[in-house]
Amino acid sequence: MVQCEKCGSKWEASSAYSKSLSVCPFCGAMLLEEEKARGYGKMDEFLGYMVKVYGEELYRNPERLKNLIGDLYGGEERVKKLFRRALVEEKLSVKVYEIAQKPKNERQPFYNRLASQFAEGNYWPVEFGLKVVGSLVSGLTGEVLEGAQPESKNRIVQVGNVRFEMVYVEGGTFQMGATEEQGEDADGDENPVHRVTLSEYLIGKHEVTQALWEEVMGSNPSYDEQGGDYPVERASWNDCQEFIEKLNARTGMQFRLPTEAEWEYSARGGNRSKGYKYAGSDDLDEVGWYGDNSDEHTHPVGRKKPNELGLYDMSGNVWEWCQDWYGDYMEESQTNPTGPQSVGTRVLRGGSGWDIASGCRVSYRYYDDPGYWYVKYGLRLVLSL
């Protein structure tokens, strides 16, 4: 009998569940003794231990594993965080164990889906997600996954030395505007709530970074000019159009800004929505940088938790321009709406690191002159399918 010191849960160490298990299948807590954990301070020992416990299917050679993951994810601390996140924060072992209770001939699709969701939610290649899940399955249940195939419809785009990911959003229907969870924070222009149906599309996993903007434009307009994974800001709507035109010329693709409806549907989590007030949570501190936690400056993209679609920073960090002109909502149901005809100002969504929490809600609307730039203003890309 094995017992978790954190949650008190007990379980039998049977053939289906290895005695070498070091993660509680109920709460995700590490069961490795503190003294033993300290003994794996060196990188090769740490990785060697991970391979030993969670199965050799990941990579049989610890040195090869170290080199590969080090190249992909930037060194020792990132690797440790990767495993800690997979095993504790995201509780992959719990989910693997739950799937293992299903009939054997039904498990494979669930494992595939779990691997894809894990990879998509962490900006990692889907193939790597399959390796991680495969190693957990092998180490925890003794089962070997065969013929696992990535289910992701996401797209990785390389522009010069900059790589970014576009997340697939399945089409669907949702209620747009001041829905019940927005409560008294909702403003008048968020009404009337109306039914919107959208076709499928791809949207940026992250806000456009300064690195990508510099690669395309050859300059960086940002006030907080940090480069790299910091979001580009101080960009007008017109600047964004010029950037997109040049990006499309470089890639041969047809990027654009999201419509206001696409932006809100994505922020709400698409057809995976759990009805949160902010993008991915009812607690803004979990998912966004805003006035109370940002120290009034931008932060690198992807440092907070993603929403249900695996999208980061849709609440807070920088405002994101939409393609639409700003105007009043209509009560009628709509399909793929593109907003009113020209009325003078363009829509911005999502709030920023300078705003109060209510300005970062998924239904909150803002607008400005398309030629005006501000330190709060950035963008996120969309691709039609």
Side-chain angles (χ1 to χ4, degrees):
M1 181 71 69
V2 181
Q3 182 173 13
C4 173
E5 295 181 1
K6 182 176 180 180
C7 71
S9 299
K10 298 180 181 180
W11 65 93
E12 293 289 343
S14 65
S15 57
Y17 207 68
S18 171
K19 290 183 179 181
S20 65
L21 174 66
S22 66
V23 179
C24 173
F26 300 97
C27 73
M30 296 292 288
L31 304 180
L32 186 66
E33 300 84 14
E34 184 177 352
E35 293 78 10
K36 191 172 183 181
R38 283 201 296 264
Y40 290 101
K42 293 182 180 180
M43 191 60 178
D44 53 351
E45 293 179 355
F46 178 82
L47 290 170
Y49 169 72
M50 286 297 179
V51 171
K52 178 180 177 181
V53 172
Y54 299 110
E56 295 183 351
E57 292 299 313
L58 186 55
Y59 284 104
R60 296 182 183 279
N61 186 328
E63 188 65 23
R64 179 184 174 194
L65 177 64
K66 178 181 72 174
N67 292 339
L68 178 63
I69 301 181
D71 289 343
L72 287 174
Y73 304 111
E76 179 174 344
E77 284 306 310
R78 182 68 182 272
V79 177
K80 290 182 178 179
K81 289 179 181 178
L82 182 154
F83 279 107
R84 186 161 57 247
R85 186 177 218 170
L87 302 176
V88 181
E89 294 179 19
E90 301 205 11
K91 300 181 181 179
L92 278 194
S93 61
V94 180
K95 297 171 184 176
V96 165
Y97 184 72
E98 290 173 348
I99 294 172
Q101 308 312 304
K102 298 179 182 295
K104 188 171 183 179
N105 61 350
E106 297 179 7
R107 296 174 194 166
Q108 186 74 56
F110 289 95
Y111 287 138
N112 288 355
R113 190 173 301 114
L114 177 61
S116 295
Q117 291 172 354
F118 170 65
E120 291 170 11
N122 291 284
Y123 196 32
W124 296 328
V126 177
E127 292 76 11
F128 185 75
L130 288 167
K131 289 289 187 181
V132 172
V133 170
S135 68
L136 284 172
V137 171
S138 176
L140 301 183
T141 72
E143 184 178 356
V144 177
L145 296 188
E146 296 180 0
Q149 296 294 325
E151 292 188 345
S152 177
K153 295 182 180 179
N154 292 5
R155 187 175 302 180
I156 303 294
V157 182
Q158 185 87 29
V159 183
N161 294 321
V162 181
R163 191 170 181 258
F164 62 97
E165 186 168 359
M166 301 294 292
V167 173
Y168 173 75
V169 181
E170 184 178 10
T173 300
F174 75 110
Q175 296 296 315
M176 184 172 180
T179 45
E180 183 178 2
E181 78 284 343
Q182 301 303 313
E184 296 181 358
D185 286 336
D187 289 339
D189 67 349
E190 298 170 37
N191 284 297
V193 176
H194 53 290
R195 181 183 176 92
V196 173
T197 299
L198 295 173
S199 302
E200 62 182 359
Y201 56 94
L202 295 164
I203 190 168
K205 175 169 281 190
H206 302 102
E207 294 158 330
V208 169
T209 63
Q210 294 182 25
L212 179 57
W213 187 283
E214 287 185 76
E215 178 66 37
V216 174
M217 302 294 283
S219 61
N220 187 350
S222 304
Y223 176 80
D224 191 11
E225 191 175 349
Q226 300 285 344
D229 288 337
Y230 278 78
V232 69
E233 26 88 359
R234 211 166 66 161
S236 70
W237 187 92
N238 292 339
D239 293 333
C240 295
Q241 298 304 310
E242 181 182 357
F243 164 79
I244 290 171
E245 182 179 351
K246 291 184 177 180
L247 176 63
N248 289 344
R250 285 275 298 269
T251 62
M253 304 170 80
Q254 293 299 312
F255 292 100
R256 57 177 174 83
L257 293 176
T259 65
E260 186 175 18
E262 288 171 338
W263 190 97
E264 184 168 323
Y265 182 61
S266 300
R268 287 178 176 274
N271 60 12
R272 301 179 189 175
S273 177
K274 297 180 180 179
Y276 293 128
K277 189 172 189 175
Y278 309 103
S281 178
D282 286 326
D283 181 358
L284 183 52
D285 283 294
E286 290 185 349
V287 295
W289 300 106
Y290 68 115
D292 286 356
N293 66 9
S294 70
D295 293 327
E296 295 194 349
H297 65 83
T298 57
H299 292 261
V301 300
R303 296 297 175 87
K304 293 288 188 176
K305 291 183 178 180
N307 76 350
E308 300 93 319
L309 290 174
L311 306 175
Y312 291 84
D313 301 303
M314 294 205 76
S315 287
N317 216 9
V318 295
W319 287 96
E320 299 175 15
W321 286 105
C322 294
Q323 188 65 32
D324 304 33
W325 294 100
Y326 174 80
D328 293 336
Y329 284 159
M330 299 184 297
E331 292 185 4
E332 293 81 7
S333 297
Q334 301 173 61
T335 299
N336 295 323
T338 57
Q341 298 300 311
S342 175
V343 291
T345 56
R346 297 281 186 176
V347 173
L348 289 134
R349 286 301 205 104
S352 77
W354 288 261
D355 292 284
I356 61 176
S358 63
C360 300
R361 294 177 295 108
V362 293
S363 62
Y364 185 79
R365 309 177 72 202
Y366 192 55
Y367 55 90
D368 211 335
D369 186 286
Y372 188 74
W373 53 260
Y374 193 40
V375 66
K376 302 178 181 182
Y377 296 172
L379 73 153
R380 188 182 300 261
L381 296 169
V382 157
L383 271 174
S384 298
L385 291 174

